[in-house]
């Protein structure tokens, strides 16, 4: 991660990223009309809400995934003269440059500090590629996973004599880049566990026992070093705390990554000696329940994570992973719905305190920085991550409001990329972090774009295509045939439910050769079908205890065997029972060509990948594609998708393959294998969810820190305020500065619900934004109480704007209520959303403070409130 300020030996110093300075105009915020967001001009729907910039039938998320995957596949390799082992340079270095034309230049000469993102980068490379293979059937993912995982196992673990022997050096801030990791670098435990999760997935994908042995050993060490004392943090932040230049070695929210990792190792069947791993997991869970969640509003609780500074502030990653762990175990967290929303929601307020970030809503979609410390207006990658977790939460909690927040963020986050791999992460255009930091340009976005597709395949899956969108375990193999999808998952225990988006309504679904029944609900093994209005279907399959799934139906795509290609040069026809129609073509001769003409909007080249696979260029309509074919894979895979391009204009197209007679540095041959071509002219999009969201009431209390909603005298629930914007300063702790979190009075007159008026928020200027269904009319009720005489006249005289229009000026709350310690409500009716938001701003134009206690919005009209009385200034 990159910081604008880095703590170095306790001194805060400004940090300039490669001399880059940004002078582009900022994007226009909500209510001010369209602007440029990241790499593209903004597009809004009929309601003024963010809409996709990308118009291809496959959709914006699928486009984002394909470009990220192609960038990984075409990344330049380091050879044995540069690195300890040949591999793409992103395996060794997190730094890159990319020209406006898309040419990639890895950074070879790195400082020790710059190399510290090894753990974070590897977690997203491995995790993203494992999921990409399931989604695409592209065997290149398997080879890249092996190369990255092997480097970690062979060159990035501590020596046997280390106090944590053979443990991952997750943030090697010392040692030579492209070489063996130095154990004097940071061995940060939460990053090691994040890599461990991805390494366990790599084991499931590849079957390589070395990966399983590594992660089970890492888990044994974590159990061995666990502090089981009541109230204690079970682990420190580092296995080698003396390595860091700051004395703060606390692990707070990072414990959730340890918990997720230990849970996954237990799922693999390894519990440690005498159940030590289970006991360590339970100790960590007690710490989460008894220490972290009660302190959910404290700034360091979800911090101490990013490797390159002390990071004593809330961060997007730990907030999200805390929610993931609770969603994974709803039986152990009965209040998980409130806890998850509180923790993730608070990040909105925490991250926007830095004025330079401009974090907030744009065309109705929130865009946020990674924390209160970073990184100017670079708002792309945190937005993408939070969107994915919000979509999962919305699905699990049946929360349409958070689902709409996540939907809009997904669309806005996907504005960042161009076809050639260039990424712009500054909200108003241009690059800061993505200009030099590769992980945040592509591996991170690929992982979270796939997660967004996984949780909302109906909105973000590719139209008129076939994809396995989500599996409970790792998909170990997948073959996308015409009208027949075959995939196998790892044999994990427990409930196994997968989700597919396919271009047909299935005729049959089998699991391990046995027919599954179409059912209404997945209470047991079977499948459900939700037809979409364009001919696609969302298919959910439950297959507990079974791993081999086949889905068949009348697929609109077409397929041609290898003999339909027009070949020139030297090609061999090979009979092979594993191939499509039992034959394929192969060549190792440079210049050999194969051409195919098709009419449609998508195309795929199927073939074999194996250890002797070589390279070929691909041309589409005469244009050389950024990533061609690499038929290398460390294990043989048949009928795989070696290349695909979708989102094409309808009509005739020409596809050409040109063998290069070349191989990558670890391949054993130059063979190019072509098995057939798939294409489709099926048309029909399903939309992107425009006009969505809840149109019910939303009620919030400023400064309310309890984890359960407050239920008022009429049985209505009020939750803590979280989706607010208040610009204070970088690293400012919003809660103690601006919130009355402790009840400020016992009795409050004029209300049956004094709790609604005992807390509050105060400051010169702050706003709350409610995400709503955009085509309804709402009321806004603001609850106020001045509980004691202020220190100075007019100290809390509050001006209020609704939807950008001032509706009250210098409100004297006590005078309006009829005295101190009395409750009063102001009501504003006939409020229409702007950009799908209801926005309420509290401000004091005289340099003092505004305040508010609670806000309610709801559809229709409400009874009139009090008439505001203005403070009489001299």
């Amino acid at each position: 991660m990159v910081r604008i300020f880095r703590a170095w030996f306790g001194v805060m110093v400004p940090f300039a990223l490669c001399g880059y300075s940004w002078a582009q105009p900022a994007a226009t915020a909500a209510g001010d009309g369209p602007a440029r967001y990241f790499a593209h001009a903004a597009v809004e729907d009929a309601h003024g809400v963010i809409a996709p910039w990308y118009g291809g039938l496959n959709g914006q998320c699928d486009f984002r995934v394909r470009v990220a995957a192609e960038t990984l596949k075409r990344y330049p390799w380091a050879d044995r003269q540069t690195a300890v082992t040949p591999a793409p340079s992103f395996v060794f270095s997190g730094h890159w440059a990319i020209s406006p034309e898309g040419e990639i230049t890895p950074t070879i000469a790195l400082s020790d500090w710059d190399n510290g993102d090894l753990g974070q980068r590897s977690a997203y490379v491995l995790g993203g590629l494992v999921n990409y293979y399931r989604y695409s059937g592209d065997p290149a993912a398997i080879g890249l996973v092996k190369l990255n995982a092997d480097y970690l196992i062979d060159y990035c673990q501590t020596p046997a004599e280390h106090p944590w022997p053979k443990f991952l050096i997750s943030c090697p801030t010392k040692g030579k880049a492209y070489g063996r990791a130095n154990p004097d670098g940071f061995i940060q435990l939460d990053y090691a566990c994040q890599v461990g999760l991805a390494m366990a997935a790599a084991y499931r994908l590849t079957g390589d026992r070395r990966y399983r042995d590594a992660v089970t050993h890492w888990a044994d060490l974590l159990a061995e070093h666990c502090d089981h004392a009541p109230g204690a943090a079970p682990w420190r932040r580092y296995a080698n705390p003396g390595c860091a230049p700051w004395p703060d070695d606390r692990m707070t929210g990072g414990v959730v990554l340890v918990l997720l990792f230990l849970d996954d190792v237990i799922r693999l069947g390894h519990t440690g000696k005498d159940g030590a791993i289970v006991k360590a997991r339970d100790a960590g869970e007690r710490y989460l329940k008894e220490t972290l969640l009660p302190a959910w509003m404290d700034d360091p609780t979800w911090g101490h994570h990013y490797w390159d500074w002390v990071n004593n502030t809330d961060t997007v990653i730990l907030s999200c992973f805390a929610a993931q762990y609770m969603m994974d175990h709803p039986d152990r967290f009965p209040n998980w719905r409130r806890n998850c929303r509180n923790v993730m929601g608070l990040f909105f307020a925490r991250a926007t305190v830095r004025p330079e970030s401009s974090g907030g809503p744009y065309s109705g979609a929130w865009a946020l920085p990674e924390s209160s410390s970073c990184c100017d207006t670079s708002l792309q990658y945190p937005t993408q991550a939070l969107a994915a977790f919000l979509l999962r939460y919305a699905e699990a909690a049946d929360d349409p409001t958070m689902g709409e927040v996540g939907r809009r963020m997904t669309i806005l986050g996907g504005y960042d990329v161009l076809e050639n791999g260039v990424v712009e992460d500054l909200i108003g255009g241009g690059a800061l972090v993505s200009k030099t930091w590769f992980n945040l340009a592509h591996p991170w976005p690929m992982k979270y774009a796939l997660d967004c597709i996984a949780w909302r395949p109906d909105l973000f899956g590719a139209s008129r295509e076939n994809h396995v969108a989500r599996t409970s375990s790792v998909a170990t193999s997948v073959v996308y045939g015409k009208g027949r999808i075959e995939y196998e998952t790892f044999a994990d225990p427990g409930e196994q439910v997968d989700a597919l988006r396919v271009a047909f309504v299935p005729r049959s679904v089998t699991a391990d050769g046995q027919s599954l029944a179409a059912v209404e609900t997945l209470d047991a093994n079977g499948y459900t079908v939700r037809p979409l209005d364009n001919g696609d279907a969302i298919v959910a399959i439950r297959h507990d205890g079974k791993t081999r799934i086949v889905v068949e139906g009348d697929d609109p795509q077409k397929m041609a065997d290898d003999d339909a290609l027009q070949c020139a040069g030297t090609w061999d026809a090979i009979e092979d029972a594993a191939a499509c129609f039992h034959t394929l073509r192969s060549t190792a001769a440079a210049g050999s060509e194969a051409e195919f003409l098709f009419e449609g909007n998508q195309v795929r080249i199927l073939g074999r990948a194996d250890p002797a696979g070589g390279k070929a260029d691909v041309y589409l309509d005469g244009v050389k594609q950024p990533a061609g074919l690499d038929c290398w894979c460390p294990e043989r895979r048949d009928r795989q998708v070696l290349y695909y391009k979708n989102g094409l204009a309808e009509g005739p197209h020409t596809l050409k393959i040109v063998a290069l007679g070349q191989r990558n540095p670890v391949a054993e041959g130059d063979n190019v294998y072509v098995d057939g071509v798939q294409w489709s002219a099926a048309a029909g999009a399903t939309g992107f969810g425009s006009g969505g969201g809840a149109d019910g009431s939303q009620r919030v209390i400023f400064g309310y820190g309890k984890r359960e909603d407050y239920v008022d005298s009429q049985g209505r629930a009020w939750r803590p305020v979280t989706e607010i914007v208040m610009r204070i300063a970088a690293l400012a702790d919003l809660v103690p500065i601006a919130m009355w979190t402790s009840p400020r009075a016992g009795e409050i007159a004029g209300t049956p619900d004094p709790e609604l008026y005992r807390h509050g928020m105060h400051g010169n200027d702050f706003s709350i934004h409610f995400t709503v269904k955009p085509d309804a009319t709402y009321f806004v009720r603001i609850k106020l109480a001045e509980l004691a005489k202020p220190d100075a006249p007019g100290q809390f005289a509050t001006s209020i704007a609704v939807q950008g229009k001032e509706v009250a000026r210098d409100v004297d709350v006590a005078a309006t209520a009829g005295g101190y310690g009395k409750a009063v409500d102001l009501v504003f009716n006939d409020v229409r959303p702007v950009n799908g938001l209801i926005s309420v701003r509290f401000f004091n134009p005289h340099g003092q403070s505004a305040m508010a206690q609670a806000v309610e919005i709801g559809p229709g009209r409400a009874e009139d409130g009090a008439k505001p009385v203005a403070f009489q200034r001299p």
Side-chain angles (χ1 to χ4, degrees), residues 223 225-235 279-280 282-284 286-287 290-291:
H225 289 272
C226 179
D227 185 347
H228 292 268
W235 299 275
K279 295 172 185 175
D282 291 346
R286 284 194 301 272
Y287 179 64
E290 298 173 7
T291 301

Side-chain angles (χ1 to χ4, degrees), residues 619-623 648 652-655:
Y619 294 81
L620 187 62
D621 298 331
V623 177
L648 301 176
H653 299 279
T654 301
L655 182 71

Side-chain angles (χ1 to χ4, degrees), residues 143-219:
L144 295 176
V145 163
K146 284 281 292 176
L147 291 166
N148 203 140
D150 286 347
Y151 172 65
L152 296 175
I153 297 296
D154 294 335
Y155 300 103
C156 299
Q157 297 190 94
T158 57
E161 63 275 12
H162 193 275
W164 288 63
K166 304 297 286 182
F167 192 79
L168 181 69
I169 307 165
S170 54
C171 306
T173 52
K174 290 183 171 62
K176 182 181 178 183
Y178 288 81
R180 185 177 294 275
N182 189 323
D184 291 331
F186 296 0
I187 305 176
Q188 188 169 321
L189 297 181
D190 57 351
Y191 271 124
C193 291
Q194 192 174 7
V195 176
L197 282 165
M199 188 73 79
Y203 159 66
R204 290 178 171 95
L205 174 65
T206 65
D208 192 322
R209 290 286 301 189
R210 296 199 313 151
Y211 306 159
R212 186 185 190 280
D213 292 344
V215 297
T216 55
H217 174 67
W218 297 350

Side-chain angles (χ1 to χ4, degrees), residues 216-217 219-224 228 265-266 269-280:
T216 55
H217 174 67
D220 286 336
L221 289 173
L222 286 161
E224 178 184 330
H228 292 268
V265 171
I266 294 167
H270 183 77
T271 58
K273 185 178 180 181
D274 299 324
I277 293 174
V278 176
K279 295 172 185 175

Side-chain angles (χ1 to χ4, degrees), residues 38 91 134 161 166 238 311 318 407 585 603 631 675 850:
F38 303 123
V91 169
R134 172 200 71 214
E161 63 275 12
K166 304 297 286 182
Y238 304 104
N311 191 200
L318 296 186
R407 183 193 74 85
R585 299 292 175 102
V603 66
C631 295
D675 199 357

Side-chain angles (χ1 to χ4, degrees), residues 786-801:
E786 193 153 10
L787 302 182
K789 188 174 181 178
D791 296 333
Q795 181 181 3
F796 294 113
T798 299
S799 296
I800 302 170

Side-chain angles (χ1 to χ4, degrees), residues 127 316 824:
V316 65
V824 67

